[in-house]
Amino acid sequence: MKKALALVTALTLCLGLMAGCSTGESSSTPAAGGSSAAAGNSTSEPATEGGSKGMIYGIYKAGDQTWFIDEGEAAKAAAEAAGYEFTYVDAKMSPEEYLKALDNAIANKAAGVVTCVPDQTMSQAVVDKMNEAGIPVVAADDALEVDGEKLVPWVGINAYKIGEANGEWLANYVNENDLATKEDVGLLIMTMDTVSSCVPRAEGEYDKFTELCPDFDTARIFKADYDGTTDKGNTQAAAVITAHPEIKTWLVTGANEEGCIGAARALESAGLDKDACVVGLGGYMAKDEFKKDFSCVKASAYFSSEDVGAGSIEVLLQLINGEEPEMETAVDAVVVTPENYVEVMGKYAE
C-alpha cells in the first residue's frame, strides 16, 4: 500500500511539472502572423529598467518658442527610435534654470544631453560640468564655444548662407520694384550680436543685399539689436522706426523669426505696414502671416527644425557609442512665400 501511495504521489508531481513546462512554452509562442518577443530581444543591446537604454535630455534656452518645440519633438522621436527616453526642458532664457536642468540630468544619470545654452559665456562651465559627470553633450543651434572655438560637436543652421538667401530675396524685391534709389526707403536688419550663431545671419543679409543693390544708399541701412524675443524685437524696431520718420517704406529682415515678427507688429502700430516688406528667418511664424488677408511679412528663409533636432540626436548617439562625429553639422534653407510655403514646409505649414 505504501509503495502504491508513493507511486501515485510521484506521478502527481511529475504531471504538475509537465503542466508548468507546457504553460511556459505556450506563452512564448508567437500568435499567428506575429513574432516572438523573446526572439526580438535576443539580438538587441542591453536595456535599462523599463526597456530603455537610458534618458537623453534636451535642454533649450527658450523652450516655449515654436522653433525649439518643433526641434524638441524631432529630437524626442529620434531618441525614442534609438531606444532611449527623452526629457524636454525649457530653460526660460535663465542661466539659473539652465544650470538646475543640467544638475537634474546629472542626478538622473542621463545617457547624454543636447542643448542650446541661454548665454554662450557659460560654455566652458557647462562643458566642464558635463565632462566631470562623464555625460556626452551636443550643442544645438548656439555653439558651446570659447573665442570662436567649438568645445563640443554642434548642429545648427548654415547661418551665413541663410542670411545671404534673405539678402538676395530682398535685393530682388527692391530691384523689381525700382526702390533702390528712393530716398524714403530704408532697410532694417534685426541683429543679435551677443549670439555667435546669429551674427553671420545678419552679415550674410547685409553682404548679399549690398552686392545685388549697389545703388542703395548704405546710410539708409539700419540695425536694431534684440534678445531673440518678439517683444524685444518689437520695442527695438519701434525705436528705430520712430527715430527715422523720413523713411516711409521699410524693408526688414533679421536674426530669427521672432525679431522679424516683432518688427512687423511695430510697423503695423506705426501705420507703415502697407508699403513694408518683412522677410523672416525660420518660417515657423511667417506661415501664420501668409494665411492672413494681408501681412507685410512677404517671405521667410525656412530651415528644418526637424533636421536640427534629429541631427543633434544622431551626433549625440555617435558620442555615446564612442565614435568621433564631425564638429559642425549645418542645415541649409529655402526661402518660402505665400505661393510655395505649403509645398516646401509640409506638415510644418499647418
Side-chain angles (χ1 to χ4, degrees):
M1 175 64 90
K2 289 182 179 180
K3 289 183 180 180
L5 183 58
L7 182 58
V8 170
T9 301
L11 286 170
T12 301
L13 288 171
C14 185
L15 287 171
L17 289 171
M18 290 174 64
C21 292
S22 174
T23 302
E25 290 178 358
S26 64
S27 65
S28 62
T29 302
S35 62
S36 168
N41 287 334
S42 64
T43 58
S44 65
E45 296 180 15
T48 61
E49 185 177 352
S52 168
K53 296 179 184 177
M55 179 70 72
I56 289 174
Y57 275 71
I59 307 174
Y60 302 97
K61 67 178 183 180
D64 61 340
Q65 292 184 357
T66 302
W67 168 263
F68 290 110
I69 292 171
D70 290 345
E71 181 181 324
E73 288 179 351
K76 180 176 186 288
E80 291 180 345
Y84 292 84
E85 296 178 75
F86 185 86
T87 295
Y88 181 91
V89 183
D90 175 8
K92 308 181 191 322
M93 289 300 293
S94 165
E96 292 77 14
E97 288 288 333
Y98 181 85
L99 291 174
K100 187 187 300 182
L102 281 186
D103 287 339
N104 286 338
I106 293 169
N108 291 322
K109 303 186 187 308
V113 171
V114 294
T115 188
C116 182
V117 70
D119 182 348
Q120 285 182 297
T121 63
M122 301 170 63
S123 293
Q124 189 66 65
V126 169
V127 173
D128 288 346
K129 180 183 280 283
M130 301 312 289
N131 284 343
E132 184 179 350
I135 298 175
V137 60
V138 169
D141 303 295
D142 301 343
L144 290 169
E145 65 180 23
V146 174
D147 297 329
E149 293 294 324
K150 292 178 174 59
L151 304 175
V152 300
W154 164 85
V155 180
I157 66 172
N158 197 336
Y160 188 81
K161 286 188 175 297
I162 287 171
E164 284 188 315
N166 271 5
E168 180 177 357
W169 196 95
L170 266 176
N172 290 337
Y173 178 88
V174 166
N175 291 331
E176 289 168 5
N177 291 280
D178 298 320
L179 300 176
T181 58
K182 292 187 177 180
E183 295 183 355
D184 64 349
V185 178
L187 169 62
L188 175 60
I189 299 177
M190 307 296 296
T191 62
M192 292 171 63
D193 287 341
T194 59
V195 181
S196 66
S197 64
C198 292
V199 173
R201 305 176 194 181
E203 291 176 344
E205 289 161 349
Y206 182 92
D207 291 349
K208 182 58 70 171
F209 181 85
T210 53
E211 174 192 335
L212 299 179
C213 284
D215 296 330
F216 196 96
D217 186 356
T218 56
R220 292 186 278 111
I221 300 178
F222 310 93
K223 294 182 179 180
D225 203 62
Y226 67 113
D227 64 359
T229 65
T230 303
D231 287 345
K232 193 68 171 180
N234 179 284
T235 56
Q236 294 297 92
V240 175
I241 292 167
T242 301
H244 294 279
E246 75 279 9
I247 303 298
K248 306 300 181 184
T249 299
W250 282 99
L251 314 167
V252 181
T253 187
N256 76 349
E257 196 89 328
E258 281 77 10
C260 296
I261 297 300
R265 300 291 88 87
L267 288 165
E268 292 169 1
S269 297
L272 295 171
D273 58 310
K274 296 304 178 185
D275 294 323
C277 176
V278 177
V279 180
L281 195 144
Y284 49 89
M285 297 176 79
K287 67 181 177 61
D288 295 323
E289 300 293 315
F290 296 160
K291 296 169 186 174
K292 297 178 180 179
D293 291 336
F294 175 82
S295 173
C296 59
V297 180
K298 307 297 185 185
S300 183
Y302 169 71
F303 39 90
S304 172
S305 56
E306 183 171 6
D307 287 349
V308 175
S312 66
I313 295 297
E314 181 179 342
V315 172
L316 181 64
L317 292 176
Q318 292 179 47
L319 288 176
I320 291 173
N321 293 330
E323 302 170 20
E324 293 187 11
E326 296 289 335
M327 286 297 286
E328 297 185 6
T329 303
V331 175
D332 287 324
V334 176
V335 175
V336 294
T337 65
E339 291 72 34
N340 72 348
Y341 81 101
V342 173
E343 178 183 356
V344 173
M345 296 178 67
K347 67 180 181 180
Y348 294 107
E350 298 175 1

